């Protein structure tokens, strides 16, 4: 089947109501082609051809973070788009970004006609609930704190002044040369002194206290118990032996990613982020609910943060003897609203029934590959090729696309001087990948790029290689579906337990497309026996890589490979179409709304707009965007979305 590239309409931001109307009229002009290829199963497979008339995302700068769990979940998005700047310049810059076809996303499995809708017009239109390893869906539905006689009194949190807390924090974090902090006891009594002792020890792990008389006045003296180590390992002797060492709680957050939330909690609690654990990171531009565990922090102390936290709440507290581990979850349950949909009731019914019965191609989503003209998979390929000069060049060279202003200036300085120190001075934020690489070059010199690159955190370095694996997998799956359609064929791979085996001719009738897996390239996988096995080799040869030698001389960059199902069928699929007049009103209640007793707005029976409310559950390492793409039949790339509709930047 021939792949036809999507065309798109580039629109400027409307500046008035008339402009908005004109823009809507333009967007209603579809540019589409359509073809279908039948297969023996009677199901059709479409190439990306149909161009809907509106953008998938109202806010295209905020991509849907992948529902990635397990080891790969630790990958972080390495490219940030510029949050400032005028919309025309952003839309213009995004012309240099990737489209789906650039990363091998070219096929659909359903036969319905595509329609348009707006995803994440409000971040509250996208809600994610984590599904634990026991199959239980996480909900925030209880703010109560477990009763514990060992907990400090409420006065503990208010007895210290802001000035005292500032001085104690600086002492705790070793930010000055002071070896102790003295707090005068104004209303001297044993009870008052006890509360101050408790407050210091509870709020500032690692500090000890004692009472001293100075000039006839009583002072509580705070000092370090065990130096820096005490900060990462909260005081063991202050924790009751009868209580589990970990406080588990449900984190409800809005428009903030998981690591940002944990960093905020760490700051408020004055502890290191590494005492928190979780099963997977969640979307930023969304409302998400997930379980978190923290080492030796009381539920009472955590609950107290609800009074001062913005955009997230903590609840459902319990004490347990174990932390959480990445990848332990069963998946995530999504509640999604697609606003201003144009599909007929029949189209929607066909689309959702297809999603439930057939599923969607398990592509790696666009956020896996970055947002600028230098895709992350290109850097991964250069690492695998052992081409370190190209790795350095790809990360640091100027690039078209949406980036923060300081990164643009840093790249320009690098191109002009090749001086790591000069380029580093242009970066106010040194923790970005560019800053880390420049610091490495400053430390190890331009002739030791491997060591300089090694300064970047391991998970971020591996993200580039995983991106290349994903790029290969997407392309190979598109070829597989184009060549053999939606049925299992001899030579395909399926899993027996954790082991991949080939499907033989005599057994092929025992398998469906939902049993078929494809490998991510590596030294510990086998490949299909049909044409697609050869296609893997050809693709890697074209990239100057040897499929039979995926071990890298640097162990970290050796690819063992893995297997991934090519079709995912979501579970618990439900949907309804609702009418509404006001784009700003929520169309369902969240966990927090229910706790606060907020009623759902009364919706009109015949509103100006229609929305599709859909729910479904996905296993780990799958992308909700790819499920929604299958329903709408449209390109989910920022480039395409921006060219179609930039009115979100008004």
């Amino acid at each position: 089947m021939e792949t036809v590239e999507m065309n798109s309409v580039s629109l400027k931001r409307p500046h008035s109501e008339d402009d908005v109307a004109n823009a809507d009229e333009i967007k209603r002009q579809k540019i589409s082609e359509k073809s279908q290829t039948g297969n023996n199963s009677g199901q059709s497979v479409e190439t990306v051809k149909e161009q809907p008339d509106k953008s998938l995302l109202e806010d295209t700068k905020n991509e849907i973070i992948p529902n990635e769990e397990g080891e790969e979940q630790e990958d972080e998005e390495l490219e940030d788009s510029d949050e400032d700047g005028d919309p025309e310049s952003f839309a213009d810059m995004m012309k240099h970004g990737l489209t789906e076809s650039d990363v091998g996303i070219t096929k659909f499995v359903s036969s319905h006609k595509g329609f348009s809708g707006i995803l994440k017009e409000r971040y509250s239109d996208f809600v994610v609930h984590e599904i634990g390893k026991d199959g239980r869906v996480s909900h925030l539905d209880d703010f109560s704190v477990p009763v514990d006689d060992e907990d400090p009194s409420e006065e503990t949190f208010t007895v210290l002044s802001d000035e005292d807390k500032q001085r104690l924090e600086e002492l705790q974090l070793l930010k000055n040369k002071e070896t102790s902090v003295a707090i005068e006891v104004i209303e001297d009594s044993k009870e008052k002194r006890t509360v101050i002792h408790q407050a210091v020890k509870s709020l500032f792990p690692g500090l000890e206290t004692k009472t001293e008389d100075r000039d006839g006045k009583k002072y509580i003296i705070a000092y370090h118990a065990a130096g820096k180590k005490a900060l990462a390992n909260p005081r063991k002797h202050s924790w009751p032996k009868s209580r589990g060492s970990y406080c588990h709680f449900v984190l409800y957050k809005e428009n903030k990613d998981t690591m940002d939330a944990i960093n905020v909690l760490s700051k408020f609690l004055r502890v290191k982020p590494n005492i928190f654990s979780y099963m997977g990171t969640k979307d930023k531009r969304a409302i998400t609910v997930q379980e978190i565990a923290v080492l030796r922090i009381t539920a009472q102390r955590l609950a107290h943060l609800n009074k001062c936290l913005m955009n997230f709440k903590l609840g459902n507290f319990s004490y347990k003897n174990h932390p959480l581990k990445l990848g332990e979850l069963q998946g995530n349950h999504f509640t999604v609203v697609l606003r201003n949909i144009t599909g007929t009731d029949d189209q929607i019914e066909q689309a959702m029934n297809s999603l439930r019965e057939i599923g969607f191609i398990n592509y790696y989503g666009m956020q896996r590959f970055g947002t600028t003209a230098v895709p992350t998979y290109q850097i991964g390929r250069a690492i695998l090729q052992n081409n370190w000069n190209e790795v350095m060049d790809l990360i640091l060279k100027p690039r078209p696309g949406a980036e923060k202003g300081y990164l643009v200036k840093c790249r320009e300085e690098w191109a002009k001087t090749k001086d790591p120190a000069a380029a580093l001075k242009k970066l106010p934020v040194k923790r970005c990948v560019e800053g880390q690489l420049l610091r490495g070059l400053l430390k190890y010199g331009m002739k030791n790029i491997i060591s300089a690159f090694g300064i970047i955190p391991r998970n971020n370095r591996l993200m580039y290689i995983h991106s290349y694996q994903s790029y290969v997998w997407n392309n190979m799956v598109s070829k597989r579906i184009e060549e053999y359609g939606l049925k299992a064929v001899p030579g395909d791979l399926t899993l027996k337990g954790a082991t991949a085996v080939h499907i033989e001719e005599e057994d092929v009738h025992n398998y469906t497309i939902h049993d078929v897996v494809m490998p991510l390239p590596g030294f510990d996988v086998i490949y299909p026996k049909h044409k697609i096995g050869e296609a893997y080799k050809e693709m890697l040869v074209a990239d100057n890589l040897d499929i039979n030698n995926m071990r890298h001389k640097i162990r970290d960059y050796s690819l063992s490979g893995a297997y991934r199902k090519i079709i995912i069928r979501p579970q618990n699929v439900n949907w309804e179409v609702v009418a509404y007049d006001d784009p700003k009103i929520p169309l369902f209640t969240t966990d927090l709304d229910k706790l606060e007793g907020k009623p759902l707005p009364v919706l009109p029976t015949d509103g100006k707009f229609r929305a599709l409310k859909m729910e479904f559950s996905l296993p780990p390492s799958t992308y909700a965007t790819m499920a929604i793409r299958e329903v709408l039949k449209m390109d989910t790339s920022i480039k395409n979305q921006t060219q179609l509709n930039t009115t979100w930047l008004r």
Side-chain angles (χ1 to χ4, degrees):
M1 180 170 9
E2 184 182 2
T3 299
V4 179
E5 293 186 5
M6 259 192 177
N7 297 312
S8 58
V9 180
S10 179
L11 296 176
K12 293 295 184 180
R13 177 182 59 164
H15 294 278
S16 68
E17 293 297 328
D18 289 341
D19 289 340
V20 174
N22 290 337
D24 286 342
E25 185 57 37
I26 293 170
K27 286 180 286 180
R28 276 191 285 269
Q29 300 170 8
K30 292 188 178 181
I31 303 174
S32 64
E33 294 179 340
K34 188 173 182 181
S35 70
Q36 295 183 357
T37 298
N39 53 58
N40 292 343
S41 67
Q43 297 163 333
S44 66
V45 183
E46 288 190 25
T47 307
V48 178
K49 294 181 178 181
E50 185 162 23
Q51 179 63 61
D53 53 313
K54 279 197 180 283
S55 167
L56 172 63
L57 292 183
E58 187 82 33
D59 186 342
T60 54
K61 287 191 294 182
N62 294 290
E63 295 178 86
I64 300 177
I65 306 299
N67 171 22
E68 289 291 331
E69 316 300 350
E71 182 180 344
E72 292 186 7
Q73 177 54 47
E74 298 183 76
D75 296 347
E76 295 178 14
E77 189 176 346
L78 301 187
E79 311 297 338
D80 277 331
S81 61
D82 197 346
E83 296 294 336
D84 304 312
D86 68 276
E88 285 82 7
S89 64
F90 180 80
D92 187 60
M93 285 188 291
M94 283 318 304
K95 292 176 185 175
H96 303 284
L98 298 171
T99 62
E100 287 183 346
S101 59
D102 292 329
V103 293
I105 302 173
T106 60
K107 307 296 179 188
F108 293 110
V109 297
S110 53
S111 58
H112 73 274
K113 184 179 180 183
F115 55 93
S116 67
I118 301 172
L119 174 62
K120 295 192 178 183
E121 183 168 33
R122 312 173 82 243
Y123 65 77
S124 55
D125 286 346
F126 195 89
V127 179
V128 187
H129 287 88
E130 190 170 72
I131 305 172
K133 59 181 177 181
D134 58 357
R136 184 179 54 84
V137 179
S138 292
H139 282 280
L140 180 76
D141 52 22
D142 185 6
F143 281 141
S144 65
V145 174
V147 177
D148 195 328
D149 293 337
E150 300 282 350
D151 280 334
S153 68
E154 186 67 20
E155 193 181 357
T156 299
F157 299 98
T158 58
V159 69
L160 298 173
S161 69
D162 289 342
E163 183 182 352
D164 288 338
K165 290 178 181 177
Q166 178 69 28
R167 292 166 59 213
L168 288 165
E169 181 175 3
E170 289 175 355
L171 175 67
Q172 182 203 38
L173 299 176
L174 305 171
K175 285 187 175 180
N176 53 35
K177 295 180 181 178
E178 289 185 42
T179 57
S180 65
V181 166
I183 301 168
E184 184 180 354
V185 184
I186 305 297
E187 303 166 16
D188 183 29
S189 67
K190 186 175 181 182
E191 291 77 15
K192 188 73 172 181
R193 293 197 302 272
T194 299
V195 170
I196 296 175
H197 282 296
Q198 286 179 338
V200 173
K201 292 177 181 180
S202 176
L203 298 177
F204 300 92
L207 296 185
E208 286 289 356
T209 57
K210 60 185 177 181
T211 304
E212 283 187 5
D213 281 309
R214 294 183 181 179
D215 301 325
K217 295 180 180 179
K218 284 276 197 300
Y219 287 86
I220 305 296
I221 310 300
Y223 59 96
H224 263 286
K228 290 183 179 179
K229 288 184 180 179
L231 196 56
N233 300 293
R235 303 163 63 254
K236 292 181 181 179
H237 61 274
S238 66
W239 195 263
K241 291 182 180 178
S242 59
R243 181 197 287 165
S245 294
Y246 294 87
C247 184
H248 287 231
F249 61 95
V250 167
L251 169 67
Y252 169 101
K253 62 182 182 63
E254 299 183 357
N255 207 25
K256 189 176 285 290
D257 68 34
T258 302
M259 276 314 302
D260 282 345
I262 285 175
N263 287 334
V264 170
L265 293 177
S266 304
K267 185 177 179 181
F268 273 96
L269 295 168
R270 300 175 178 88
V271 296
K272 289 287 181 68
N274 62 4
I275 70 170
F276 290 87
S277 58
Y278 48 89
M279 294 183 285
T281 62
K282 298 289 176 278
D283 298 353
K284 176 184 177 182
R285 188 165 170 77
I287 291 174
T288 70
V289 183
Q290 68 183 116
E291 189 175 352
I292 304 285
V294 60
L295 177 64
R296 297 192 184 95
I297 299 291
T298 65
Q300 184 188 28
R301 194 172 164 200
L302 290 165
H304 195 266
L305 295 181
N306 281 330
K307 298 176 182 178
C308 49
L309 292 173
M310 296 287 290
N311 298 329
F312 46 94
K313 295 289 182 185
L314 317 179
N316 297 77
F317 303 103
S318 62
Y319 292 109
K320 298 181 182 179
N321 288 316
H322 59 85
L324 294 170
K325 294 180 181 178
L326 282 165
E328 282 187 326
L329 75 173
Q330 272 193 22
N332 292 284
H333 185 74
F334 296 87
T335 306
V336 178
V337 171
L338 301 176
R339 291 185 184 250
N340 204 16
I341 55 169
T342 61
T344 65
D345 289 345
D346 281 347
Q347 285 176 308
I348 293 165
E349 193 77 9
Q350 286 179 38
M352 295 307 298
N353 276 321
S354 175
L355 183 67
R356 181 163 58 190
E357 293 164 14
I358 302 174
F360 63 96
I361 304 172
N362 194 19
Y363 286 123
Y364 288 96
M366 294 303 296
Q367 55 271 38
R368 189 83 165 174
F369 306 103
T371 58
T372 67
V374 179
T376 50
Y377 75 79
Q378 290 184 3
I379 299 169
R381 180 169 55 201
I383 293 169
L384 295 174
Q385 292 170 340
N386 217 28
N387 188 344
W388 293 100
N389 282 312
E390 185 174 355
V391 171
M392 178 180 68
D393 188 47
L394 287 171
I395 292 175
L396 295 178
K397 73 179 181 180
R399 58 178 71 171
E403 283 202 303
K404 293 186 182 297
Y406 57 75
L407 273 175
V408 174
K409 292 174 183 174
C410 169
R411 296 187 194 287
E412 289 171 349
E413 183 65 33
W414 173 256
K416 186 169 63 177
T417 65
K418 290 292 189 288
D419 180 350
L424 203 54
K425 285 179 182 176
K426 302 290 184 181
L427 284 180
V429 180
K430 303 292 194 290
R431 289 181 62 194
C432 62
V433 169
E434 292 80 3
Q436 289 160 339
L437 178 56
L438 289 168
R439 280 208 312 272
L441 292 170
L442 209 53
K443 181 176 181 179
Y444 294 105
M446 298 283 284
K447 292 186 178 179
N448 194 352
I449 300 171
I450 295 176
S451 296
F453 184 71
I455 278 189
I456 297 170
R458 180 176 182 270
N459 291 327
N460 285 4
R461 285 182 277 126
L462 296 184
M463 180 269 190
Y464 291 120
I465 298 175
H466 294 156
S467 178
Y468 178 74
Q469 285 181 301
S470 305
Y471 170 71
V472 173
W473 194 90
N474 280 359
N475 278 278
M476 291 299 100
V477 166
S478 291
K479 281 183 178 294
R480 159 64 182 79
I481 290 175
E482 180 175 329
E483 190 71 35
Y484 299 111
L486 296 179
K487 61 183 188 300
V489 297
D492 273 334
L493 294 169
T494 189
L495 291 178
K496 298 286 188 185
T499 306
V501 297
H502 291 103
I503 297 175
E504 302 298 338
E505 179 82 50
E506 58 272 19
D507 294 327
V508 72
H509 63 279
N510 293 323
Y511 298 96
T512 71
I513 192 66
H514 297 101
D515 299 312
V516 177
V517 298
M518 296 264 284
L520 282 86
F523 60 77
D524 197 25
V525 294
I526 60 174
Y527 295 88
K529 282 183 179 177
H530 45 55
K531 291 180 182 178
I532 306 306
E534 286 303 312
Y536 270 96
K537 294 178 185 176
E538 291 166 7
M539 186 170 184
L540 266 66
V541 165
D543 286 340
N544 294 316
L545 295 171
D546 182 358
I547 200 168
N548 298 313
N549 184 20
M550 298 302 287
R551 294 186 185 274
H552 199 281
K553 67 177 185 179
I554 301 170
R555 186 177 177 182
D556 263 359
Y557 310 139
S558 286
L559 295 180
S560 61
Y563 299 99
R564 180 176 176 86
K565 283 197 169 185
I566 70 174
I567 301 290
I568 290 292
R569 188 160 41 193
Q571 300 299 303
N572 308 311
V573 178
N574 290 291
W575 70 92
E576 68 171 317
V577 177
V578 297
Y580 66 101
D581 287 319
D582 185 354
K584 296 179 182 177
I585 63 169
L587 299 180
F588 55 83
T589 51
T590 65
D591 286 0
L592 188 58
D593 291 335
K594 292 171 186 173
L595 270 171
E596 295 177 346
K598 290 183 181 177
L600 185 67
V602 178
L603 299 175
T605 54
D606 188 23
K608 289 188 292 185
F609 308 108
R610 294 160 72 238
L612 172 60
K613 291 167 60 177
M614 53 198 294
E615 288 191 60
F616 52 87
S617 299
L618 294 177
S621 299
T622 56
Y623 288 71
T625 32
M626 295 296 101
I628 294 162
R629 168 188 182 268
E630 186 68 44
V631 170
L632 293 177
K633 289 284 190 80
M634 67 186 309
D635 187 327
T636 61
S637 67
I638 293 185
K639 176 177 180 177
N640 193 61
Q641 294 155 12
T642 308
Q643 289 175 340
L644 282 168
N645 185 4
T646 57
T647 59
W648 52 272
L649 280 169
R650 290 207 303 272

